[in-house]
C-alpha cells in the first residue's frame, strides 16, 4: 500500500490556514486530523509539552461533553474527535526519536484509510529554525509545505484583533483595545511575537534552505479563494481536484478600524517585508501594492 503524502501548512497566522484545513478535511482523498494545530514540532521543552497535552485533553473533554447533546452521525463524529484529541495528547508526550508516534497518528492512519494525503496545519511552524524544517522535510520522501502570506498590515491587524477579542474585558471597546495593542507594537516595540509572525522574509529563506523547491509552495491569501488556486493546490499535493466553498470564511474577526496614525506607523515598520516579497515574486496582489504605494507616498 502506497504511503500517504505528508503536508505541512506553516502559516502565516491569520492568513487562511483554517480555511485551507477545512477544505482539505472535506476532501475525499485527504485524512486531516480533528486537531487543526497540533504544535508537535514547536512544543519541545517539558513544561510546554505538559501544557499542550493538557490543552488537548481539555478539548477532548469538551467534545465528550458535547456528544451528550447529539445523536446519530453527529454524536459519532463528536466522539471520534474527542478520541483523536486524546491520542494527540499522547503524541505530544511521546518520545521524539524517530517521531514514530507522530508518524502513526498522521501517516499510518491515513494510509490505512486509503487516503493520499495527511496533514499537520500549524501556522506557528513558520517560526521554527531551519534545522527543524529540514528534519520535517526529511520525514518522508513525499513531504509538501504550503506557506500562505497575507498583506503584512492586514495580517498584523487581524492577529491583534483576535488576541484582543480573547482578552477583552466586559464593557470595553474591542476597537479601542485593539488599537491600544497596535500602538504598543508599532510605537513601543512591545509584543514582539506579533511582529515575528509577519517576518515573511525570514521564513522564506529558511524554506529555501531546508525544503527542496519542488516540495514547497508559497501562496498569497488574497489569491487563495479562487478556483484556479484550488486546482493548483490539488496538483501540488497530488490529489484530485475537489470543488471548494470559496465564499465561506473561517474564524473571520469582528470588523474594527485602525487609527490612521497607527496604520501609517505599521506600514512603515513592515516596509522591509513588502519590499522583500516584491523582490522575490515581482507581481504582488493589488492589496499589497496599494499599501506599498501609501508607504511610498
Amino acid at each position: 500500500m502506497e504511503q500517504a503524502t505528508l503536508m505541512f501548512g506553516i502559516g502565516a497566522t491569520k492568513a487562511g490556514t483554517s480555511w485551507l484545513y477545512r477544505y482539505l478535511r472535506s476532501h475525499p482523498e485527504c485524512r486531516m486530523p480533528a486537531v487543526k494545530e497540533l504544535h508537535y514540532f514547536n512544543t519541545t521543552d517539558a513544561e510546554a509539552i505538559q501544557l499542550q497535552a493538557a490543552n488537548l485533553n481539555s478539548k477532548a473533554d469538551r467534545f465528550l461533553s458535547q456528544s451528550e447533546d447529539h445523536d446519530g452521525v453527529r454524536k459519532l463524529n463528536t466522539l471520534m474527535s474527542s478520541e483523536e484529541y486524546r491520542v494527540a495528547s499522547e503524541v505530544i508526550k511521546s518520545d521524539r526519536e524517530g517521531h514514530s508516534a507522530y508518524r502513526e497518528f498522521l501517516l499510518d492512519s491515513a494510509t490505512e484509510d486509503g487516503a493520499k494525503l495527511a496533514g499537520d496545519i500549524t501556522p506557528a511552524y513558520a517560526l521554527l529554525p531551519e534545522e527543524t524544517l529540514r528534519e520535517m522535510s526529511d520525514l518522508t520522501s513525499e513531504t509538501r509545505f504550503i506557506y500562505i502570506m497575507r498583506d503584512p498590515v492586514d495580517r498584523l491587524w487581524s492577529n491583534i484583533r483576535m488576541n484582543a477579542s480573547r482578552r477583552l474585558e466586559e464593557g470595553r471597546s474591542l476597537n479601542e483595545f485593539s488599537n491600544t495593542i497596535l500602538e504598543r507594537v508599532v510605537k513601543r516595540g512591545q509584543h514582539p511575537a506579533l511582529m515575528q509572525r509577519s517576518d515573511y522574509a525570514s521564513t522564506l529563506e529558511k524554506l529555501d534552505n531546508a525544503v527542496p523547491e519542488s516540495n514547497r509552495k508559497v501562496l498569497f491569501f488574497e489569491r487563495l479563494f479562487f478556483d484556479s488556486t484550488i486546482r493548483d493546490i490539488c496538483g501540488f499535493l497530488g490529489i484530485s481536484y475537489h470543488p471548494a466553498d470559496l465564499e465561506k470564511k473561517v474564524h473571520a474577526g469582528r470588523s474594527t478600524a485602525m487609527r490612521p496614525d497607527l496604520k501609517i506607523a505599521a506600514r512603515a515598520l513592515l516596509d522591509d517585508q513588502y519590499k522583500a516579497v516584491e523582490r522575490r515574486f515581482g507581481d504582488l496582489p493589488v492589496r499589497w501594492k496599494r499599501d506599498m504605494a501609501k508607504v511610498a507616498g
Side-chain angles (χ1 to χ4, degrees):
M1 186 179 295
E2 187 175 352
Q3 187 180 58
T5 296
L6 177 60
M7 186 277 288
F8 292 109
I10 67 167
T13 303
K14 304 304 293 181
T17 54
S18 292
W19 185 91
L20 180 62
Y21 165 78
R22 296 281 182 89
Y23 168 70
L24 292 176
R25 188 163 166 78
S26 72
H27 195 293
E29 295 177 3
C30 300
R31 201 282 186 184
M32 303 295 288
V35 185
K36 183 231 167 185
E37 296 190 28
L38 186 56
H39 289 285
Y40 175 83
F41 287 98
N42 64 323
T43 304
T44 53
D45 65 83
E47 182 179 1
I49 287 172
Q50 291 303 314
L51 284 173
Q52 176 63 354
N55 177 52
L56 292 169
N57 273 321
S58 176
K59 290 182 179 179
D61 290 340
R62 200 176 311 154
F63 276 113
L64 185 61
S65 177
Q66 290 172 357
S67 71
E68 298 174 1
D69 300 325
H70 304 318
D71 53 27
V73 174
R74 191 173 182 186
K75 183 181 184 70
L76 177 60
N77 288 339
T78 307
L79 288 170
M80 289 174 63
S81 292
S82 176
E83 178 59 25
E84 275 205 68
Y85 271 89
R86 298 266 186 237
V87 175
S89 176
E90 295 304 311
V91 170
I92 289 294
K93 294 184 291 183
S94 67
D95 181 12
R96 302 302 174 93
E97 185 68 31
H99 306 294
S100 57
Y102 180 82
R103 288 173 179 272
E104 181 179 354
F105 178 63
L106 287 179
L107 286 171
D108 291 357
S109 57
T111 300
E112 289 172 3
D113 291 344
K116 292 184 178 181
L117 184 81
D120 178 356
I121 297 184
T122 303
Y125 288 167
L127 306 181
L128 290 170
E130 182 181 313
E131 53 268 27
T132 304
L133 292 174
R134 183 175 292 108
E135 181 181 9
M136 293 161 63
S137 178
D138 291 340
L139 275 177
T140 76
S141 59
E142 295 296 330
T143 303
R144 299 289 185 269
F145 286 74
I146 290 182
Y147 182 48
I148 310 175
M149 301 182 298
R150 181 179 182 179
D151 175 274
V153 171
D154 287 347
R155 194 222 63 81
L156 175 64
W157 183 234
S158 182
N159 202 169
I160 286 173
R161 285 185 291 131
M162 178 184 70
N163 290 356
S165 65
R166 290 174 176 173
R167 297 163 46 201
L168 189 65
E169 298 174 357
E170 186 175 355
R172 187 171 189 183
S173 162
L174 176 61
N175 189 67
E176 177 189 359
F177 189 32
S178 298
N179 277 288
T180 296
I181 296 175
L182 180 59
E183 182 173 20
R184 292 171 182 165
V185 171
V186 301
K187 292 192 174 182
R188 304 180 194 174
Q190 298 177 9
H191 310 299
L194 289 170
M195 287 297 297
Q196 188 179 17
R197 292 176 183 273
S198 293
D199 188 1
Y200 302 153
S202 176
T203 299
L204 290 169
E205 181 179 2
K206 290 185 294 186
L207 285 172
D208 283 347
N209 295 332
V211 182
E213 184 175 2
S214 60
N215 292 357
R216 63 180 191 264
K217 178 170 285 294
V218 179
L219 301 170
F220 289 101
F221 170 84
E222 294 79 7
R223 294 172 178 165
L224 179 60
F225 308 102
F226 293 90
D227 189 69
S228 58
T229 303
I230 301 306
R231 291 181 182 276
D232 187 34
I233 290 172
C234 290
F236 170 70
L237 295 176
I239 55 179
S240 303
Y241 167 73
H242 182 68
D245 184 350
L246 300 174
E247 301 299 324
K248 184 175 182 178
K249 294 184 178 180
V250 179
H251 300 325
R254 290 159 56 186
S255 179
T256 56
M258 277 184 277
R259 277 174 28 200
D261 63 311
L262 297 179
K263 184 179 289 189
I264 292 170
R267 285 172 180 150
L269 195 61
L270 290 164
D271 191 45
D272 286 348
Q273 293 301 321
Y274 284 96
K275 291 177 178 176
V277 177
E278 182 184 42
R279 285 194 298 270
R280 182 185 181 98
F281 296 99
D283 182 35
L284 299 179
V286 172
R287 178 73 182 185
W288 291 57
K289 293 177 181 178
R290 186 170 63 191
D291 275 345
M292 290 182 71
K294 290 179 179 178
V295 170

